[in-house]
Amino acid sequence: MFTTRPEIAGTFGAVASTHWIASQVGMAVLERGGNAFDAAAAAGFTLQVVEPHLNGPGGDCPIILHSAKLGTQQVICGQGPAPRAMTVANMRELGLDIVPGTGFLCAPVPGAFDAWALMLRDHGTWRLRDVLDYAIGYAARGAHVVPRICATLETVRPLFETAWPTSAALWLRDGGPQPGRLYTNPELAETYDRVLREAEAAGPDREAQIEAARNAWYGGFVAEAIDRFGRSFAALDTSGRRHTALLTADDMAGWRAPVEAPLSHDYRGHTVLKCGPWSQGPTMLQTLALLEGFDIAAMDPVGAKFVHTVVEAMKLAYADREAWYGDPDFVDVPMATLLSAGYTAARRGLIGREANNDWRPGSPDGRAPRTDYAAALRRAEEMAVAAGTGEPTVSRLGASGGDTCHVDVIDRWGNMVSATPSAGWLQSSPAIPGLGFCLGSRCQMFWLDESLPNGLQPGKRPRTTLSPSMVLRDGRPWMSFGTPGGEQQDQWQPIMLMRMLDHRFDIQQAIDLPSFHSEHWISSFWPRGARPGKVVIEGRYAPEVLAELQARGHAAEMGGEWSEGRLTGARLEPDGQIFAGANPRGMQGYAVGR
């Protein structure tokens, strides 16, 4: 079949990411003798500069890695927790019934820096200065501006100009970035330069320098600047009111990224690895478990039956996400039951020929689910009415959704990285003076009911949508892959994997094929709405597919021709060949290798 670019092949190494510059930075590291962990970290820090509307230094970054030296896989949880002062009682006292989607109240401890630094310390070989040199260079001398950066800025320009002056000073100076031109972030360059100066003051040892850098970030000048600005400035947020920050320097000083074992489940003889239920990652495992009972290979990969069956399985998996997932350090998540054969078989029996647009979380171990789907429907309707009357909600309050990045790396030694950095988008909260970045907004995913699995508690991780993936074949690491997309991350990824394992497409073919997503369940993002039965299929589907989905009862609609999916991936075959591919949609993603 025709693909937009080849699935690249080599034996030395490969990097695939959501931006060609980051991919080439990662490859440059491999060419200079670095390993996959050095390359992924350098690419990750570069993504903060070249895709600032999709991630930033104040954001999050879960990582799944395979260490050839250790022969094991690990998850580094770069998802920071809620501040100690962030309680349901405090939020209620502010008159809130939902966490705002922008501003300071929704900011967790920023986890991305520590995730990258920890991976580099424990598995990398390069000094932090060499890894950060690429990001510093682009921040200081300018990075190419893709059109989407400018489009995002236009949605929040009124907010920056009237309510977030520090963001205006950083992102609207001299008129702001222009498509195709270079734009610098000198404050961020200086922040990283100072981190390096403090790191190198610890002496010549590589690991000691990385530890000193972590301390500078979480217990030094970075944390102090965040604390100082958060106390002194009240940021307008999506509640329509101004609030100072809850996050403090003490919150940052008391946190470091934990290392965990990944969750796993087998599909068609392959072991799929995901982050734990503090992420939405297990929904992909549940979806695949449900679909293993169907003859997916016999279905047309771009036919209505495939779309219908996959969407119906996802409805069940995502309903369970809403009812049961949360930080397992705080709640008892019945993960073993949710992935068990008996529970899966019973849930699979709910999938029929017609769409079922009811809200159907399960009852693992006899537990009764507690969700409020009716409230989600009401919030979605209220937002639709506001949009229909021309209320300038987005520009006035800054509710301009961010997205995410992804990077995959495989090196010649067999090391493998799948990382999904996100949040700390330039539009998420006011820029912190002197640092060149802003805080994230992941705490918007909490419910203001501490008794719920994803209910707010101080020090608890919000259930993130960030969801890197890794697959083992015959117990050996085979593929690293992932995508931006929020709720869509664990929709587009199983679709890609099934097209590879069931339909025998390669990475690039599976990425290029038209895809789809549903919005049936409760969104993780403010204002936490839901759209029963909604399915969006890419515009390259045949009209008959849309008609059949509608006839089956789906609230289906056709999207743009190249609108579904942001996937990248890389795989390692037994003969030593490394293959990789990347999404052409948006004209930013690229895979490189040799």
Side-chain angles (χ1 to χ4, degrees):
M1 62 171 281
F2 172 81
T3 56
T4 56
R5 74 258 321 247
E7 181 189 54
I8 66 167
T11 55
F12 178 81
V15 183
S17 86
T18 47
H19 197 291
W20 71 88
I21 290 178
S23 297
Q24 192 54 51
V25 163
M27 195 66 205
V29 173
L30 295 182
E31 294 284 6
R32 291 173 56 192
N35 65 16
F37 311 111
D38 304 317
F45 285 120
T46 299
L47 284 169
Q48 297 170 358
V49 182
V50 299
E51 292 192 317
H53 58 311
L54 303 180
N55 79 137
D60 320 308
C61 184
I63 301 170
I64 303 179
L65 63 87
H66 169 77
S67 166
K69 179 180 179 181
L70 300 177
T72 59
Q73 299 82 45
Q74 296 178 350
V75 168
I76 298 178
C77 177
Q79 175 55 65
R84 296 172 198 169
M86 190 176 186
T87 66
V88 171
N90 282 351
M91 302 299 278
R92 296 290 188 187
E93 287 173 5
L94 294 172
L96 300 170
D97 59 4
I98 188 172
V99 180
T102 60
F104 285 149
L105 293 182
C106 51
V109 174
F113 185 87
D114 206 58
W116 291 124
L118 179 63
M119 182 183 71
L120 185 65
R121 186 198 71 180
D122 290 351
H123 303 285
T125 64
W126 275 28
R127 295 183 181 276
L128 184 60
R129 174 171 292 280
D130 297 324
V131 167
L132 276 173
D133 182 62
Y134 299 92
I136 291 171
Y138 282 113
R141 296 187 291 274
H144 174 86
V145 176
V146 295
R148 190 61 201 165
I149 295 175
C150 303
T152 300
L153 275 169
E154 286 308 306
T155 67
V156 289
R157 179 181 289 271
L159 176 73
F160 285 11
E161 292 175 336
T162 61
W164 291 5
T166 56
S167 294
L170 180 62
W171 292 109
L172 300 181
R173 70 178 192 276
D174 302 323
Q178 300 298 316
R181 305 292 294 275
L182 298 177
Y183 198 75
T184 62
N185 187 341
E187 288 187 349
L188 179 59
E190 172 54 29
T191 294
Y192 279 137
D193 268 331
R194 181 172 173 183
V195 168
L196 290 174
R197 291 196 299 271
E198 297 196 11
E200 290 168 349
D205 182 74
R206 187 187 79 91
E207 294 183 10
Q209 289 181 0
I210 294 172
E211 280 304 290
R214 296 171 77 193
N215 291 333
W217 196 272
Y218 290 92
F221 80 95
V222 173
E224 291 165 2
I226 290 171
D227 187 305
R228 184 168 55 249
F229 184 54
R231 292 177 189 271
S232 64
F233 182 76
L236 181 68
D237 57 43
T238 55
S239 72
R241 300 191 296 278
R242 290 179 176 271
H243 299 100
T244 53
L246 299 173
L247 181 68
T248 69
D250 286 343
D251 290 312
M252 293 185 61
W255 182 83
R256 292 295 185 274
V259 177
E260 306 172 354
L263 279 180
S264 67
H265 194 76
D266 288 351
Y267 179 81
R268 312 293 193 216
H270 294 70
T271 302
V272 184
L273 307 182
K274 299 294 288 187
C275 299
W278 50 266
S279 77
Q280 72 174 13
T283 59
M284 179 170 163
L285 303 182
Q286 285 194 255
T287 297
L288 292 171
L290 289 164
L291 292 171
E292 194 161 27
F294 293 88
D295 189 357
I296 299 296
M299 299 179 188
D300 181 349
V302 290
K305 186 176 182 180
F306 178 73
V307 177
H308 164 79
T309 307
V310 172
V311 166
E312 291 300 293
M314 288 175 174
K315 287 177 181 177
L316 298 174
Y318 273 80
D320 278 347
R321 178 199 73 169
E322 192 57 45
W324 304 114
Y325 292 13
D327 184 346
D329 292 341
F330 285 76
V331 295
D332 178 19
V333 182
M335 207 68 249
T337 301
L338 292 171
L339 291 171
S340 67
Y343 180 84
T344 299
R347 297 284 278 168
R348 188 183 295 126
L350 300 176
I351 300 174
R353 189 190 180 283
E354 306 299 319
N356 187 308
N357 295 326
D358 295 333
W359 179 240
R360 299 187 293 175
S363 300
D365 303 323
R367 304 185 193 185
R370 288 178 54 227
T371 63
D372 195 346
Y373 196 63
L377 300 181
R378 184 177 66 251
R379 288 190 295 269
E381 291 168 359
E382 289 170 353
M383 286 299 291
V385 169
T389 58
E391 182 178 337
T393 306
V394 170
S395 61
R396 181 170 63 88
L397 301 179
S400 176
D403 206 334
T404 301
C405 308
H406 187 79
V407 59
D408 300 295
V409 186
I410 301 176
D411 66 25
R412 63 189 185 274
W413 299 287
N415 297 304
M416 192 175 293
V417 177
S418 175
T420 309
S422 184
W425 315 297
L426 62 87
Q427 64 273 27
S428 63
S429 64
I432 302 156
L435 294 186
F437 65 85
C438 61
L439 295 173
S441 58
R442 194 67 58 181
C443 286
Q444 68 182 285
M445 297 180 174
F446 282 122
W447 293 113
L448 294 184
D449 179 345
E450 55 269 280
S451 68
L452 294 174
N454 192 36
L456 171 62
Q457 293 184 56
K460 184 178 182 180
R461 291 172 286 187
R463 189 209 65 219
T464 181
T465 52
L466 303 180
S467 192
S469 296
M470 192 169 286
V471 182
L472 312 181
R473 173 180 279 178
D474 300 324
R476 299 169 60 87
W478 177 60
M479 185 165 69
S480 160
F481 69 115
T483 181
E487 311 287 334
Q488 284 90 282
Q489 289 183 37
D490 288 297
Q491 300 183 63
W492 293 331
Q493 288 183 89
I495 293 167
M496 171 182 166
L497 185 61
M498 286 184 289
R499 284 172 168 168
M500 294 181 69
L501 299 184
D502 291 290
H503 298 117
R504 303 303 177 184
F505 290 107
D506 66 31
I507 291 175
Q508 195 62 50
Q509 291 169 333
I511 288 172
D512 279 2
L513 283 167
S515 197
F516 53 90
H517 78 272
S518 173
E519 299 175 20
H520 174 76
W521 41 85
I522 301 172
S523 172
S524 298
F525 297 90
W526 183 93
R528 311 302 300 275
R531 295 173 174 83
K534 181 177 179 180
V535 178
V536 181
I537 63 173
E538 206 161 9
R540 290 176 292 135
Y541 274 94
E544 311 87 79
V545 173
L546 179 64
E548 183 176 338
L549 290 171
Q550 292 170 339
R552 287 176 181 253
H554 296 279
E557 59 187 61
M558 194 82 81
E561 289 191 352
W562 291 91
S563 58
E564 293 286 326
R566 306 287 185 272
L567 293 145
T568 70
R571 73 180 199 272
L572 174 63
E573 294 295 348
D575 65 355
Q577 288 198 85
I578 302 168
F579 297 85
N583 166 58
R585 300 163 182 85
M587 298 186 294
Q588 286 180 220
Y590 240 89
V592 296
R594 69 168 179 87

